[in-house]
Amino acid sequence: MVIKGRNAAAIAIIVAIAAASPFIFIFGNDYITGTLTRILILGLLVLSVELAWGQTGMFTLGQAVFFGVGAYSAAVVAKDYGITDVIAILSVAGFAGLIIGLLIGAFLFTGRRVSELYVALFTLALAYAAQRLATSWSAIGAANGIPGIPFPTLFGLKLDSGPILFYLALVVFAIFFFICLWVVNSQFGLTMNAIRDDEERAEFFGYRRQTIQVLVFTGTAGLAAVGGGLFAITEGFVSPSLLGIALSTSAVLWVVLGGKGTFLGPLLALAILQILDRRMQDAFPQFWPIAIGGLLLITIVFLPKGIMSIPQVLRERKSQRVLRHSAPIREDIQ
Amino acid sequence: MDASLTRSIFDVLSVTSILVLLVMGMAVIVGMMKVFNLCQGEFVLLGALTAYLTYEIFGSVLLGILLAPIMVGAFGLLLERTVIHRFYANPQGALLATFAVGLIIREGLRTTMSTQASPVPAPISSSWVIFGATLPVWRIVIMAVTVALLIVAAVILIKTSVGLRVRATLNNPELASASGVSRKWMYAWTYATGSALAGFAGAMIVPLQTLYPNLGFDNLITMFIAVMVGGLGSFAAPVVGAVAIAVPGSIMSILINPVTAQILIVLCAIVFMRLRPNGLLKSGM
């Protein structure tokens, strides 16, 4: 893998979080630790949306379904079967996500091509149906979800404090983050981008559009499910809202705000909003959701490529101004 | 005919007419204009809110039903001229922008409403007894209004010059504007009409439910599925889709239970949409 500017920055961020974390625990408290752990876990969900939508062009509005499947399977395995080993739990969660993802991906992307908006509506309807199902299914706790999931263990050691769970989340996040970077920078990643930019042309070039889309979709489902599994064992409870439209659309919102097509922007947007979230909900409990909607609307209208494109937009403004002052431009080519 | 069978048939007809009424606005915006309007549910909510407010202030729900299409239509016009018109070439952007608008309206109402849900009485609260079954008159009124509105919409679209211009603009915008139809205002007014229909539907159905912030969003998925099952590109197809979703859905919720029926219908509909992406009314590609 060639380490280019953007990747170097990403790696620097991971290293910086790891290096700064001891200070966070010395000066911080449970609340800060909990927030950071949650950012890393939701980061996995954001990565999966970015891979599916930002890199491959599959507009998924229901990625939380896989997150929730991972969370529920981890909860059932840990609580009902008494398996607490982290690696085993996350493998089960990831595997559950892969299977569901494969089924849905194969259904959506093999055979005749479907439009992007069909994928969006399909996944949205799926998230709706999944949440309804989980809310009414008594075997998995119906509307109450599954509380009291035991702390995970690693090689027999109990991982039962905030900082340790944070490091667990950091390690898992770092592993999958590097896998994502590696995939996107490989030849396969270029093929994904080709399909995103023009499905038909990629097919004409001889790429197996269907296989690649199903593969990527399955992979992102597994990734989201690992995130869900991690959520279940660190938070200690799961509820039907993990499967639903709200979390699915939030994940898309973070990607839009941060800038579709980059990894750093969406993660940055997630981190900023999560850090603000609790404080704003305390300060303005009623206006915070409205503000989020407003922020989304403003971003889509004025910054379609998200916060990561602000420098680019400013540069273009500047160069346009220079052009306007230097020479008259023919109107028909403007 | 015995009472329970009458009641069941009445329920199926009532549920179907409600969904058709809700889908009509969507048939204009999603079906004809092909804007994936995720705030359509909130137009319904705003219509319901209008009825609630006129009831609270003037004591008349009927006034709200008359005002709702005007208020929500005006809002739709404003929204089209400020936001929606930027996204005709970018359907993904339209989807996200309308989602954001819906979120703002929904959460805005949640902050201002003092209670979780507010009931709104029906303008006509009596009921008729037919074959031994007690049938609320307001539901019968909704059926009649739905049928009347469908006929009016069909006549306007097929017989009048306005309808011709609308269809021309949506089918071939370049040719229509070359022929002297203002594309800009045609799109704006069509969008406003779709919003007005949704607002009217909201005011009509709120007496059957209650006013709560998720009133629109809870109906949105069903409305969208109806449109997709029917197919895009015309006014009639989404309406047919609504009937195709509502009739088996309501029969199943009488026979099994409502939650299972709803999940099954959603699943069947999305499988159907995959197999026939152009919907019921068009075959093949």
Side-chain angles (χ1 to χ4, degrees), chain A residues 41-50 63-64 67 223-224 247 251 254:
Chain A
I41 293 170
L42 292 174
L44 292 172
L45 179 64
V46 167
L47 286 180
S48 84
V49 173
E50 166 57 26
Q63 206 68 6
F67 190 84
L223 179 59
L247 185 60
W254 295 319

Side-chain angles (χ1 to χ4, degrees), chain B:
Chain B
M1 247 185 353
D2 68 327
S4 73
L5 183 64
T6 314
R7 177 81 216 179
S8 299
I9 293 172
F10 179 77
D11 278 347
V12 171
L13 289 176
S14 173
V15 168
T16 309
S17 65
I18 289 169
L19 188 62
V20 169
L21 186 63
L22 284 170
V23 160
M24 261 189 258
M26 213 150 192
V28 173
I29 294 179
V30 185
M32 293 170 66
M33 299 177 73
K34 295 179 189 160
V35 174
F36 279 71
N37 198 33
L38 286 190
C39 60
Q40 190 76 18
E42 276 61 39
F43 291 160
V44 173
L45 177 66
L46 286 177
L49 180 68
T50 312
Y52 171 75
L53 287 178
T54 54
Y55 170 68
E56 286 287 296
I57 299 168
F58 305 108
S60 161
V61 181
L62 210 57
L63 181 66
I65 291 171
L66 294 175
L67 271 180
I70 300 167
M71 305 292 280
V72 183
F75 178 76
L77 190 65
L78 186 72
L79 188 66
E80 203 277 346
R81 286 321 303 158
T82 49
V83 178
I84 310 292
H85 75 99
R86 301 162 193 268
F87 293 107
Y88 286 126
N90 173 12
Q92 268 190 20
L95 196 143
L96 289 167
T98 51
F99 176 76
V101 171
L103 186 69
I104 296 170
I105 297 173
R106 201 158 62 237
E107 296 304 327
L109 186 65
R110 210 187 301 280
T111 31
T112 43
M113 265 178 78
S114 48
T115 49
Q116 290 257 305
S118 314
V120 177
I124 308 165
S125 55
S126 59
S127 44
W128 288 345
V129 179
I130 299 171
F131 294 117
T134 321
L135 310 177
V137 174
W138 187 243
R139 284 180 182 267
I140 298 171
V141 170
I142 289 182
M143 287 178 206
V145 167
T146 304
V147 173
L149 209 56
L150 272 180
I151 294 169
V152 169
V155 168
I156 289 178
L157 277 174
I158 298 167
K159 293 281 180 191
T160 65
S161 72
V162 175
L164 181 68
R165 279 185 212 169
V166 170
R167 283 181 294 142
T169 312
L170 299 176
N171 279 333
N172 192 337
E174 279 75 28
L175 191 58
S177 60
S179 316
V181 180
S182 165
R183 174 162 46 158
K184 179 174 136 188
W185 288 106
M186 209 39 118
Y187 269 91
W189 283 108
T190 312
Y191 191 87
T193 309
S195 337
L197 281 169
F200 178 70
M204 288 290 287
I205 63 148
V206 69
L208 303 179
Q209 308 188 353
T210 52
L211 179 71
Y212 63 103
N214 270 14
L215 172 70
F217 199 73
D218 285 349
N219 285 311
L220 182 77
I221 302 281
T222 326
M223 283 153 66
F224 250 115
I225 284 174
V227 173
M228 296 302 282
V229 165
L232 301 180
S234 69
F235 181 81
V239 173
V240 174
V243 176
I245 290 290
V247 171
S250 48
I251 292 175
M252 265 160 55
S253 54
I254 295 169
L255 295 179
I256 328 167
N257 69 67
V259 175
T260 320
Q262 203 178 7
I263 294 172
L264 273 177
I265 281 290
V266 170
L267 291 180
C268 289
I270 53 188
V271 171
F272 175 82
M273 279 148 61
R274 179 72 180 90
L275 300 176
R276 288 194 58 152
N278 288 309
L280 277 169
L281 285 197
K282 279 186 200 156
S283 55
M285 294 295 281

